[in-house]
Amino acid sequence: MTVLETAGSSLSLGEGRCRRQMGEVISQPKTIFFMSSARKKAVDTVINREVVAPRLTGAKVSDYYASNVFNDKAMRDHLSDDAYKAVREAIKTGKKINREVSESVAQGMKAWAMGKGANSYTHWFQPLTGATAEKHDMFFTPKGDGAIEVFSGDALVQQEPDASSFPSGGIRATFEARGYTAWDPNSPAFIMEIGDGKTLCIPTIFISYTGETLDYKAPLLKSSHFLEEAALPVVHMFDKDATRVTATLGWEQEYFLIDEALYYTRPDLMFTGRTLVGHSPAKGQQLEDHYFGTIPERVYAYMLDFEQECHKLGIPVRTRHNEVAPAQFECAPMFEEVNVAVDHNQLLMDIMERVARRHKLRVLLHEKPFAGINGSGKHNNWSMGTDTGKNLLSPGKTPKNNMLFITFFVNVLKAVSEHADLLRASIASANNDHRLGANEAPPAIISAFIGSYMSNVLDEIEKRVAPGKYDELSNANLKLDIHNKIPDVMLDNTDRNRTSPFAFTGNKFEFRAVGSSANCAQSMTVMNTIMGNQLVNFKAEVDKLVKDGEGKDGAILRVLRGYIASSKSIRFEGDGYSDAWEKEAKKRGLSNVKTTPYALDFYVSKKSKDVFVKNGIYTERELEARYEIMNHSYVLKIDIEAKTLADMATTVIVPSAIGYLNTLIGNLKGLKEVGILGTAGKSQKDLATRIAAHINAIQDGVAKLEAAMEAAHKAKTTSDAAKAYCDKVKPLFDVIRNEADALEQIVDDNVWPLPKYREMLFIR
Ligand code: ADP
Ligand code: MG
């Protein structure tokens, strides 16, 4: 009889495949088996899982698409003509909706929502915790002997959640806990279905009693508005008909899936979203056989399920595929106006997590759940479009349209080169630090890839537009040349550079350094702001030249020429993952800030304050508060990781290593007893010595970790604390991890307590 069988009978291990897979092991004391029983049970559970059938209705997507959204059609059906017009107008111009109209909208919205089975409502907002927040109220109110359902205009427009526990960065003392949520009519209300419950959700901004923004959405809206105001006069140089310019965003969302049973046996995954220990399996992603491979059936069922939920909410997800790493996947929608796209991405992450539970899966949105395996990002495809149907980053069919395109294109490059540091700061997070520059994601250096065609076009402008005196005739030729050249760009999708953090992909820029769990608004607010700021400068420079007597086209080309020359240092067409680029970037004077606490400093630099405060995106107080909040969040994250690691090392890993060490010692004693220790015991003695050394090193590492945390707590400011956590606490994670991973490789697999990478990544 094998010990596994003995242990199995006494500890009621799962039957069947798990046991066969684990194989037969001899001479293990029962007690040691007890330690790893959780892992074995989990693996057994996973192996025996059935596919959970998706709850598909069988209908075409078009039959239920956006059925839970109070969209234009629903508004037309449920609002009076006047109310409908007022909401449309508010969306278009940002004009306030008066009380009477909001009352009427509330009645229509309530009727629609109740018709769909909703009996409660909530303001839905995006505080700086990173998650979305909601506080449900029911429609009913007691009246006489019974109750009636009510929803007032005031309740639609404004709510006052008890906001004392949301981060405010010192703006709002806890004794003045008031914060307001205010209706954002730009993003349509929707009905969230959770089980049988249905709730009307109203997208809102979140602001303090004194008016400071405390969320992601309010600054994003301000930045979009600012960009529009700045872009319109520039568009009008070429196209008089446009009356609106909107920023567009199409995100791509990467994620990992792991089975719930394995998730629950890993305290690190539960508390931090990533594995703090775990040795890479022999087979990782090196064969690249997972990328775009067949989607496993369980995962496919999950995808169908969450896609359907998305479609009911009007989230246009259309693409699904396997990603590079094992157990990694991606989904992407059609692009939308940036505010709606951000809301949809936040909703998607929420839906993905909820639907995963139905399938006994956990979705990992962490930027780097597994060391040595690719992490997850969120590619933000960003562009601008007019209400006349032009994508401002798409080459057109006429010389004039191509000048419009070139103008916006070059201004993007100029904006990015001026404010690369802010873009870097906008993607900074404790999680994303693991990913940036780790040979799988763009480095912490912000550069732009534009492809060989656009490089040639820009070179041509730079060469042929004389910096000094102006020649209108050669300008006209250049314009024609630009026109003849550019259409090729559209055909040229081949020289895409996947290693660039900011790449032009034919009709949009793709910001690839955004983290998978991030709120897209953070980076999109920066993008809109720096672009708006740049366009204001551009217009002023052109106007000045024209005032001084230069022709309009000449002036435009001349200013662009200057930008092409001065933004050159951020253009890089080579391998962004290479060491050579790091060296080259240094020579060019580009910054390469690898960790969050240092990147966040850019938010409060003079340059940052200038561009944000001047353009009305953040006040100085708001910037300082955000800086405080982001540093604080960094400290909290690393602190939780440190505590979790110390706990796992001390109470899970060391004890099981000691257990195995005892087995070895027992065996050595036995060998001695029968008189063959000298010949047969050498390797076991070595092994026991190595195990003991790793155990010592772990305990030593944990002691140092605790001391470093204590020291970091004494820092005077939050930003100093964040830096101490980054420089002094975090490096000890690797020290402890290396020892733990070394143990994982020599301790008997049967007693190892934590699910291994091969189990988390390869069992479907
Ligand atoms: P890939 O980059 O994977 O080859 P695509 O180029 O088709 O795929 O698009 C990737 C993403 O870019 C999609 O989410 C798409 O909606 C988005 N996208 C396309 N056009 C625009 C645009 N004008 N503005 C913003 N995003 C866009
Ligand atoms: Mg992409």
Side-chain angles (χ1 to χ4, degrees):
M1 192 204 284
T2 68
V3 172
L4 187 59
E5 277 164 358
T6 348
S9 56
S10 61
L11 296 169
S12 66
L13 267 179
E15 296 293 321
R17 289 152 71 188
C18 165
R19 187 175 298 184
R20 283 198 298 278
Q21 156 142 343
M22 286 300 150
E24 299 196 345
V25 181
I26 41 165
S27 79
Q28 296 288 347
K30 269 186 189 177
T31 49
I32 290 178
F33 266 98
F34 184 76
M35 283 191 281
S36 63
S37 64
R39 170 176 161 225
K40 287 192 192 313
K41 252 188 184 155
V43 169
D44 194 43
T45 305
V46 181
I47 290 172
N48 291 300
R49 279 262 200 250
E50 301 285 336
V51 174
V52 177
R55 295 181 184 170
L56 295 181
T57 56
K60 298 194 296 294
V61 174
S62 55
D63 292 338
Y64 55 84
Y65 189 76
S67 54
N68 281 346
V69 185
F70 195 58
N71 55 11
D72 198 69
K73 183 180 176 309
M75 283 201 291
R76 236 188 286 239
D77 291 349
H78 290 86
L79 300 185
S80 68
D81 278 357
D82 286 349
Y84 172 77
K85 276 194 203 124
V87 176
R88 296 300 320 168
E89 186 67 12
I91 292 172
K92 204 167 150 193
T93 62
K95 245 181 32 205
K96 274 218 157 68
I97 290 175
N98 70 33
R99 212 188 162 107
E100 199 182 314
V101 171
S102 59
E103 196 56 52
S104 154
V105 174
Q107 295 326 309
M109 214 183 253
K110 184 187 80 179
W112 170 78
M114 290 188 62
K116 298 251 167 209
N119 58 14
S120 54
Y121 68 94
T122 180
H123 277 196
W124 180 81
F125 58 107
Q126 301 170 30
L128 297 170
T129 51
T132 54
E134 43 196 78
K135 176 189 148 221
H136 298 202
D137 283 307
M138 301 197 76
F139 287 131
F140 92 90
T141 189
K143 186 171 186 191
D145 290 340
I148 53 165
E149 268 79 18
V150 292
F151 182 48
S152 70
D154 287 349
L156 163 66
V157 172
Q158 193 170 303
Q159 228 182 13
E160 208 176 312
D162 172 14
S164 54
S165 318
F166 293 112
S168 75
I171 278 182
R172 198 197 44 232
T174 32
F175 59 82
E176 180 43 279
R178 268 189 289 176
Y180 291 106
T181 50
W183 179 32
D184 165 25
N186 294 286
S187 187
F190 56 90
I191 289 171
M192 183 60 105
E193 297 178 27
I194 299 177
D196 290 332
K198 293 181 179 181
T199 302
L200 168 66
C201 298
I202 298 147
T204 52
I205 58 169
F206 181 40
I207 43 182
S208 75
Y209 182 62
T210 41
E212 281 93 1
T213 61
L214 294 174
D215 69 347
Y216 288 106
K217 187 193 260 281
L220 177 71
L221 288 172
K222 288 182 184 176
S223 74
S224 297
H225 183 67
F226 166 59
L227 173 61
E228 174 163 27
E229 300 262 284
L232 268 176
V234 178
V235 171
H236 287 159
M237 291 175 169
F238 309 92
D239 171 6
K240 293 270 181 253
D241 296 335
T243 62
R244 296 217 62 191
V245 172
T246 41
T248 50
L249 165 65
W251 39 262
E252 300 163 61
Q253 178 74 53
E254 293 177 340
Y255 60 97
F256 279 86
L257 285 174
I258 85 157
D259 190 275
E260 175 178 276
L262 296 167
Y263 175 86
Y264 281 133
T265 30
R266 298 270 327 198
D268 45 2
L269 280 181
M270 285 175 65
F271 293 148
T272 73
R274 74 178 179 109
T275 54
L276 297 169
V277 293
H279 187 260
S280 310
K283 177 179 182 288
Q285 62 194 47
Q286 61 272 60
L287 299 178
E288 305 218 321
D289 50 352
H290 182 67
Y291 192 47
F292 281 25
T294 322
I295 299 172
E297 196 181 343
R298 245 184 105 191
V299 174
Y300 185 60
Y302 162 67
M303 287 171 166
L304 293 178
D305 231 353
F306 85 68
E307 285 163 3
Q308 177 169 277
E309 296 297 332
C310 285
H311 292 152
K312 284 194 267 181
L313 290 170
I315 306 172
V317 285
R318 287 217 309 182
T319 312
R320 60 174 104 95
H321 61 79
N322 289 358
E323 254 304 323
V324 174
Q328 191 188 25
F329 307 91
E330 178 183 303
C331 71
M334 284 282 294
F335 71 92
E336 300 174 279
E337 189 274 310
V338 64
N339 175 36
V340 175
V342 166
D343 284 0
H344 280 169
N345 183 249
Q346 289 298 115
L347 263 177
L348 168 100
M349 292 193 284
D350 190 40
I351 290 168
M352 282 174 92
E353 282 180 2
R354 276 195 290 108
V355 175
R357 285 163 198 255
R358 208 187 281 165
H359 291 258
K360 307 286 179 209
L361 293 165
R362 278 294 182 281
V363 59
L364 303 179
L365 292 169
H366 192 289
E367 281 70 3
K368 188 79 174 175
F370 303 99
I373 305 271
N374 267 16
S376 300
K378 178 139 58 192
H379 296 173
N380 279 9
N381 295 273
W382 172 88
S383 186
M384 291 147 290
T386 65
D387 56 344
T388 47
K390 273 197 189 94
N391 173 354
L392 295 171
L393 291 176
S394 179
K397 290 200 168 60
T398 63
K400 201 162 91 183
N401 279 343
N402 275 332
M403 277 311 296
L404 172 69
F405 158 65
I406 287 283
T407 297
F408 275 83
F409 182 81
V410 172
N411 272 288
V412 173
L413 293 178
K414 177 69 176 165
V416 171
S417 92
E418 286 291 313
H419 295 286
D421 288 343
L422 263 188
L423 275 179
R424 168 66 187 94
S426 77
I427 50 159
S429 71
N431 299 356
N432 214 14
D433 281 359
H434 294 285
R435 185 178 152 258
L436 297 181
N439 256 321
E440 53 166 282
I445 310 161
I446 300 291
S447 67
F449 166 87
I450 61 171
S452 52
Y453 275 89
M454 287 315 297
S455 295
N456 283 339
V457 170
L458 298 198
D459 289 348
E460 201 85 342
I461 296 176
E462 203 185 350
K463 250 194 328 239
R464 284 167 58 185
V465 178
K469 212 164 150 26
Y470 225 75
D471 177 354
E472 286 292 344
L473 204 64
S474 73
N475 274 338
N477 284 336
L478 181 63
K479 266 176 73 176
L480 273 177
D481 273 10
I482 289 173
H483 172 54
N484 292 334
K485 272 211 176 93
I486 289 174
D488 294 339
V489 173
M490 301 303 287
L491 304 173
D492 180 39
N493 270 327
T494 50
D495 66 346
R496 285 204 178 179
N497 183 330
R498 300 263 162 208
T499 66
S500 174
F502 194 78
F504 182 63
T505 54
N507 57 1
K508 65 201 175 277
F509 277 93
E510 184 170 348
F511 191 22
R512 299 208 183 99
V514 184
S516 49
S517 67
N519 185 319
C520 299
Q522 182 94 336
S523 50
M524 293 297 95
T525 299
V526 169
M527 209 48 239
N528 290 347
T529 304
I530 63 176
M531 183 61 180
N533 189 64
Q534 178 50 44
L535 290 169
V536 169
N537 293 345
F538 171 76
K539 179 77 173 38
E541 285 183 61
V542 171
D543 286 352
K544 182 164 183 314
L545 288 179
V546 171
K547 197 164 154 244
D548 294 346
E550 188 150 336
K552 190 183 88 181
D553 289 354
I556 290 171
L557 276 169
R558 184 121 74 98
V559 175
L560 291 181
R561 182 198 182 279
Y563 291 169
I564 291 168
S566 61
S567 64
K568 225 180 234 169
S569 64
I570 56 138
R571 270 162 57 193
F572 179 63
E573 303 286 300
D575 179 1
Y577 296 178
S578 67
D579 294 338
W581 169 230
E582 253 197 86
K583 289 199 189 107
E584 164 71 17
K586 197 167 175 197
K587 256 195 242 156
R588 295 188 191 184
L590 301 180
S591 46
N592 182 8
V593 178
K594 294 188 176 168
T595 52
T596 291
Y598 295 92
L600 291 180
D601 286 346
F602 292 133
Y603 262 117
V604 285
S605 70
K606 174 156 186 331
K607 205 167 170 186
S608 150
K609 286 184 177 171
D610 280 353
V611 69
F612 280 131
V613 177
K614 182 179 76 194
N615 297 313
I617 312 303
Y618 295 114
T619 63
E620 194 159 337
R621 198 161 124 92
E622 286 169 341
L623 271 179
E624 295 284 355
R626 259 156 223 264
Y627 177 66
E628 177 75 15
I629 291 166
M630 288 186 285
N631 273 303
H632 188 56
S633 141
Y634 182 86
V635 168
L636 292 179
K637 277 225 163 104
I638 305 293
D639 193 68
I640 292 170
E641 290 190 346
K643 285 176 181 150
T644 308
L645 179 59
D647 184 51
M648 285 171 75
T650 311
T651 67
V652 180
I653 294 167
V654 165
S656 46
I658 290 177
Y660 183 53
L661 185 59
N662 276 334
T663 307
L664 286 173
I665 291 169
N667 210 33
L668 286 165
K669 279 184 187 156
L671 291 174
K672 194 173 171 196
E673 238 173 72
V674 296
I676 56 167
L677 179 63
T679 44
K682 185 177 176 322
S683 65
Q684 287 181 49
K685 244 164 122 179
D686 285 352
L687 187 57
T689 312
R690 276 162 64 202
I691 290 174
H694 290 307
I695 291 172
N696 279 334
I698 288 182
Q699 283 167 331
D700 187 43
V702 170
K704 284 190 177 131
L705 184 71
E706 279 161 357
M709 284 160 74
E710 214 178 300
H713 274 300
K714 295 192 179 123
K716 287 216 169 60
T717 65
T718 316
S719 138
D720 286 348
K723 285 171 179 126
Y725 266 92
C726 178
D727 299 335
K728 299 284 188 326
V729 176
K730 206 177 65 166
L732 291 164
F733 293 1
D734 285 342
V735 173
I736 297 169
R737 177 180 198 138
N738 285 341
E739 301 296 333
D741 291 358
L743 278 176
E744 185 186 323
Q745 289 177 91
I746 51 177
V747 167
D748 180 358
D749 187 55
N750 280 290
V751 304
W752 192 255
L754 298 166
K756 297 189 170 181
Y757 271 29
R758 63 165 186 260
E759 291 150 358
M760 291 186 283
L761 293 166
F762 289 100
I763 303 179
R764 304 277 155 66

